[in-house]
Amino acid sequence: MREIKASQIIKAVTELVRRANFILRSDVLSALRSAYRFEKNKRAKTILKAILDNAAYAREKNLAICQDTGIPVVFAEVGQDVKISGDLKAAINKGIKEGYKKYSLRNSIVADPLLRGNPKFSPCIIHTDIVKGNKIKLTILPKGFGCENKSRLMMFKPTAGIEEIKKFIIDAVKSAGPDACPPYIVGVGIGGTADYAGMLAKKALLKKIKLQRGLSPKGTVPGFERELLFEINNLNIGPMGLGGKTTALAVNIQTYPTHIAGLPVSVNISCHALRSARIVL
Amino acid sequence: MKKINTPLDLNKIKSLKAGQEVCLTGIIYTARDQAHKRLLELIKKGKRLPLDLKGAIIYYCGPAKTPKGKIIGSCGPTTSSRMDEFTPFLLAKGLKGMIGKGSRSQEVKEAIKKHKGIYFITYAGCGALLSKYVRSVKTVAYGDLGPEAILKLEVENFPLIVAIDVNGGCIYGED
């Protein structure tokens, strides 16, 4: 057994908070730069430039990329040969709280969803998974709620065709329209159960964005992602919803086996400020 | 680029058209979901509001905490449509301008036209950049709401795009 102390986890999470909120993911940055190069619409180009300038300014001045520093979602993959001395979940929450305080981020969490009340920095959402090995992998995804509010779930019939699924995903983007800070990154979870599809859609946002070059074979997940991205970018929503070819930077799909009676599909949209950071202890 | 100053009145905004870029200097007030709910309760009870809405601009914004040595933290717009159910009441009380992101309901469009108000959008998801245009910050009301408190911001050349003009013309087109 390898021992990992709660104090190491607190320190690691605090650092992840800083990295995720101040430094835009390099794959998102590359996708934005590429969009800026290829965008023809003048206003869309101006907005993409402001988004790139914002990321640079945030990094230089240690400012949050976006004031909505989200509800922090933490994925903790814990190796089964690790012995944690201390309380794992308490340590993660402490790291979040200390990081958000230290780096002057926003306290956006209300303790009671119905009674609301004075917002705090924590608790975050923690997804733990027990995996092989003697390490802990921690990933933080501070998820803004402008885009989280545009999430969708549909329990399709198992006989549903690919066109129906496609329409559902594209409709989710259309209904987010100009509201949730396009250009979007569209996370899609297909399969599992209602809750698991939602989780897959969120996890899909962690997948590295690949710049679309060359062809992906039809009928495969990369092919489907590509087709969706193409159609979404023909919606003319564009940055801030003011038109242009850049409505989404990527469509990322995660799948999982499912039941013979169903076909759950969940969509989790991210704004252009898709922030996440990862560390292995 | 056209420059405008607060407080707003019809003369300053009547020539502005949806799609036009302007920069704003003067006072704006932040207010979002919970502050709107409270303001509407006061209006319904006929009580005095903690801010004078006449000619005022509300910015749908809940800034990040202010880092040491800075005037304000990241402070971009939040989704305006969540405030739609409250907006017509505030416009009727003299509110002239709003700043946010995204589309508005038909009711809000009509209320803007009726009361000759204006709705602006600003760079969404660019809160760090927008913090550069803020000169001072003061809490006006509802400090218990944390980032949802009503703050008085003094801004200089704050970049805006007219999204719904005084005649109800809309940058996003018709629904």
Side-chain angles (χ1 to χ4, degrees), chain A residues 107-185:
Chain A
N107 45 329
S108 309
I109 316 296
V110 286
D112 188 306
L114 297 173
L115 302 174
R116 315 302 297 186
N118 190 357
K120 304 274 195 292
F121 290 115
S122 60
C124 61
I125 307 280
I126 305 173
H127 296 293
T128 42
D129 200 1
I130 306 293
V131 298
K132 277 190 200 162
N134 64 356
K135 295 188 166 90
I136 297 181
K137 185 154 101 181
L138 295 167
T139 309
I140 178 179
L141 172 77
K143 188 62 167 42
F145 242 65
C147 53
E148 187 68 8
N149 279 336
K150 306 297 179 188
S151 308
R152 288 276 185 280
L153 171 72
M154 177 68 101
M155 303 303 282
F156 281 97
K157 287 199 287 184
T159 50
I162 206 83
E163 288 305 315
E164 277 176 78
I165 296 170
K166 210 184 208 179
K167 184 176 180 300
F168 170 69
I169 296 166
I170 292 170
D171 281 349
V173 175
K174 269 190 204 164
S175 94
D179 292 358
C181 295
Y184 300 129
I185 295 89

Side-chain angles (χ1 to χ4, degrees), chain A residues 43 54 64 67 105-106 179 272, chain B residues 19 62 65 76 101 103 124 129:
Chain A
R43 175 159 265 159
N54 182 68
Q67 75 287 341
L105 303 175
R106 199 174 76 182
D179 292 358
H272 58 74
Chain B
K65 295 231 176 239
K101 66 170 164 110
S103 54
L129 209 55

Side-chain angles (χ1 to χ4, degrees), chain A residues 44-57:
Chain A
K45 228 175 158 71
T46 307
I47 298 164
L48 288 168
K49 174 78 174 25
I51 292 169
L52 286 165
D53 287 350
N54 182 68
Y57 191 69

Side-chain angles (χ1 to χ4, degrees), chain A residues 177-232:
Chain A
D179 292 358
C181 295
Y184 300 129
I185 295 89
V186 186
V188 182
I190 305 179
T193 48
D195 56 324
Y196 203 73
M199 162 87 124
L200 288 175
K202 183 66 95 293
K203 270 194 169 169
L205 296 176
L206 298 173
K207 278 211 304 195
K208 198 173 172 213
I209 296 174
K210 286 189 226 82
L211 294 180
Q212 302 278 345
R213 285 199 188 95
L215 283 170
S216 305
K218 241 185 141 54
T220 62
V221 166
F224 194 32
E225 287 174 341
R226 217 189 139 88
E227 270 177 57
L228 280 163
L229 183 64
F230 180 77
E231 289 193 28
I232 288 167

Side-chain angles (χ1 to χ4, degrees), chain B residues 18 23-25 45 68 76 122:
Chain B
C23 56
L24 176 80
T25 297
K45 286 180 186 155
K68 245 196 191 119
T122 187

Side-chain angles (χ1 to χ4, degrees), chain B residues 1-9 12-13 16 20-30 55-60 95-100 118-123 130 132-136 152-162:
Chain B
M1 197 182 302
K2 175 129 177 151
K3 289 175 185 279
I4 49 171
N5 293 289
T6 62
L8 296 183
D9 60 44
K12 289 182 190 171
I13 58 173
L16 301 180
Q20 192 175 344
E21 287 174 30
V22 296
C23 56
L24 176 80
T25 297
I27 302 297
I28 60 178
Y29 295 92
T30 67
I57 298 180
I58 283 182
Y59 180 25
Y60 304 135
L95 176 70
K96 213 67 187 157
M98 292 149 283
I99 305 169
I118 192 161
Y119 168 55
F120 301 102
I121 51 176
T122 187
Y123 292 103
L130 290 172
K132 284 205 229 181
Y133 303 95
V134 179
R135 296 287 166 263
S136 73
K152 182 178 175 179
L153 307 185
E154 194 189 334
V155 298
E156 195 179 329
N157 292 325
F158 198 87
L160 302 173
I161 302 171
V162 179

Side-chain angles (χ1 to χ4, degrees), chain A residues 243-268:
Chain A
K245 277 289 205 189
T246 317
T247 298
L249 299 174
V251 178
N252 289 350
I253 299 177
Q254 292 267 78
T255 65
Y256 193 79
T258 192
H259 192 274
I260 48 171
L263 173 44
V265 179
S266 173
V267 179
N268 197 271

